[in-house]
Amino acid sequence: MAYRHGVYVSEVPTSVVSPVTAAAGLPVVFGTAPIHLAETQDLVNKPVLAYTYGEAVGALGYSNDWVSYTLCEFLKSHFSLFNVAPVVLVNVLDPSKHKKSIPSAPITLTNGVGIINTSGVILSSMVVKATEAGQPLVKNTDYTVAFNNDGKVVITALAGGAIANKTSAVATYNYLDPSMVTSLDIVGGVDASTGNVQGLELVNQVFPHFRLVPGQILAPGWSHDPVVAAVMKAKSTNINGLFTAISLIDIDSSEAKQYTEVPSWKNEQNITDPLQIPFWPKVKLGDDIYHLSTQAAGVISRTDGLNDDLPYVSPSNKNLQANGAVTADGTEVTLGPDQAAYLNGQGIVTALNFVGGWKLWGNRTAAYPGISDVKDSFIAVKRMFNWVGNSIILTYWQKVDDPTNKRLIDTVVDGINIWLNGLTARGALLGGRIEFRKDENPVTDLLDGIIRFHVFLTPPVPAKEMDFKLEFDVNYLNALFA
């Protein structure tokens, strides 16, 4: 050490670590997108983070055909109806795989303009000729090609080009066929030949890519499939081997058409996990029909946003953007409070039009009534446990491999206790504390570098029932003689 003479200053790490909070309700949504309308066709089986509608449409395209392109329903609901962000989108529709070919299609040119009515045309695959036996024409010399507002291809002959004065032409092209996408594409996996990750496996790439922890996992139009729902559940419990999220599952209203049929469908499909929230039926706004999970994600995100991104407030009894409820075939569904309560009692969230318009109605996770533990049966409580756990991981990951000494223990205990006290003061918890207990830290574990902390927390339980007693008080008859 160098010889020193004088007064010196040095710094030590702060004894209390500032908390890093997880995004409470970040939706990660899987489905199909009109990738042929996007700026590039490369975003297949890649997570796309979007903070605005324009970002999402630029990356993945947009179409009103929500049956074929399931992500578009979510885009309109989340950005246009609920005005919340961000969202992570994963498109599994692959132009290199889910496509068909048109070897020769005649095009009628009217005043030099022709329209191809096939949906999903992949422009990069298009070859235009003057005749079927002719040579390929030169794009931007003989003609231009673009999509119109309906997503149809418009071919325009250019002056001086080979078809400038023609009344017809011929085109060869590939087009997307969303019907080729199956539930196995949503489930995904790891491609054995390339090692590329696909489908729901991409949940594990969200945090490494964007430093955001998934809060909700969705697949509108697909989650009613029991295989998809099972994989969504598996992924929500072990994201990156660390984090947890909820999965929003739609009950198939084409099979369970009456509310009395819904609980048996839920149980038969094994939708019974605390991290699953099942929804029935669909909702509509004007002519648009939405999966209830889609709008529920908007309700959850908006509710969290109004409460400083703390998920302690239940999404139940919060406004949907709807003016009706329907089954898959469009049949109107009108539930009374007693019928909606029946579904809620079976761990199913529904839509209710009773006081204040259409509301999301239900506080229970799919685990209820089979599991009545408060931390697993109430949506808001389960989400608070997820969020607190995820936030602790993010905050104290920096302390992994530090020396196991009293300073480390005090740093963790003091930091988390201060944080929990702050959450309590804001009303997000009724109380919370952390303890480092000797009986939970045997010498054998300490020798192996394992230290355990015990966190106690009590999120507020939703006031799902309010009872008032009315009694005739005869003493007030004395007011007659006042």
Side-chain angles (χ1 to χ4, degrees), residues 85-323:
V87 60
V88 175
L89 305 159
V90 179
N91 164 57
V92 303
L93 180 57
D94 189 345
S96 67
K97 181 170 64 172
H98 305 119
K99 65 178 180 179
K100 290 183 179 177
S101 298
I102 298 294
S104 179
I107 304 169
T108 300
L109 298 175
T110 304
N111 297 323
V113 177
I115 296 178
I116 296 176
N117 289 315
T118 305
S119 297
V121 174
I122 303 170
L123 290 185
S124 60
S125 70
M126 178 168 285
V127 175
V128 179
K129 302 177 182 180
T131 63
E132 188 168 349
Q135 293 299 311
L137 302 180
V138 180
K139 183 180 175 182
N140 296 329
T141 298
D142 296 313
Y143 69 96
T144 61
V145 60
F147 290 106
N148 63 16
N149 292 334
D150 296 324
K152 302 298 173 63
V153 173
V154 177
I155 294 175
T156 304
L158 295 178
I163 56 174
N165 299 311
K166 302 289 186 180
T167 58
S168 65
V170 177
T172 298
Y173 54 86
N174 297 328
Y175 67 95
L176 292 176
D177 186 359
S179 67
M180 296 175 68
V181 178
T182 69
S183 60
L184 295 180
D185 293 299
I186 301 295
V187 169
V190 180
D191 189 313
S193 60
T194 64
N196 292 333
V197 179
Q198 302 171 344
L200 284 161
E201 289 292 332
L202 289 161
V203 169
N204 288 332
Q205 292 192 5
V206 173
F207 183 76
H209 276 311
F210 309 120
R211 291 298 183 265
L212 296 172
V213 178
Q216 308 176 68
I217 299 175
L218 298 97
W222 299 96
S223 62
H224 63 275
D225 185 294
V227 176
V228 173
V231 176
M232 290 171 65
K233 175 183 71 174
K235 294 305 171 188
S236 66
T237 61
N238 194 30
I239 302 170
N240 299 116
L242 299 167
F243 305 117
T244 52
I246 57 171
S247 58
L248 278 57
I249 309 298
D250 287 296
I251 291 175
D252 192 346
S253 59
S254 66
E255 295 183 5
K257 297 181 180 181
Q258 303 293 329
Y259 80 95
T260 52
E261 300 170 344
V262 177
S264 60
W265 189 97
K266 167 184 177 266
N267 292 327
E268 288 168 3
Q269 306 304 325
N270 197 33
I271 312 297
T272 57
D273 193 84
L275 292 174
Q276 292 177 308
I277 306 176
F279 299 90
W280 183 90
K282 296 182 176 183
V283 291
K284 68 174 185 176
L285 181 63
D287 294 329
D288 293 333
I289 296 178
Y290 298 84
H291 292 86
L292 188 51
S293 68
T294 294
Q295 290 221 3
V299 172
I300 289 171
S301 298
R302 184 173 62 182
T303 302
D304 290 350
L306 294 173
N307 293 280
D308 299 323
D309 203 30
L310 300 175
Y312 70 99
V313 178
S314 172
S316 182
N317 204 19
K318 306 298 186 296
N319 284 96
L320 295 164
Q321 296 296 327
N323 59 6

Side-chain angles (χ1 to χ4, degrees), residues 35 41-46 60 90-95 202:
I35 196 72
Q41 277 76 60
D42 295 335
L43 295 176
V44 177
N45 279 306
K46 295 179 181 178
L60 298 175
V90 179
N91 164 57
V92 303
L93 180 57
D94 189 345
L202 289 161

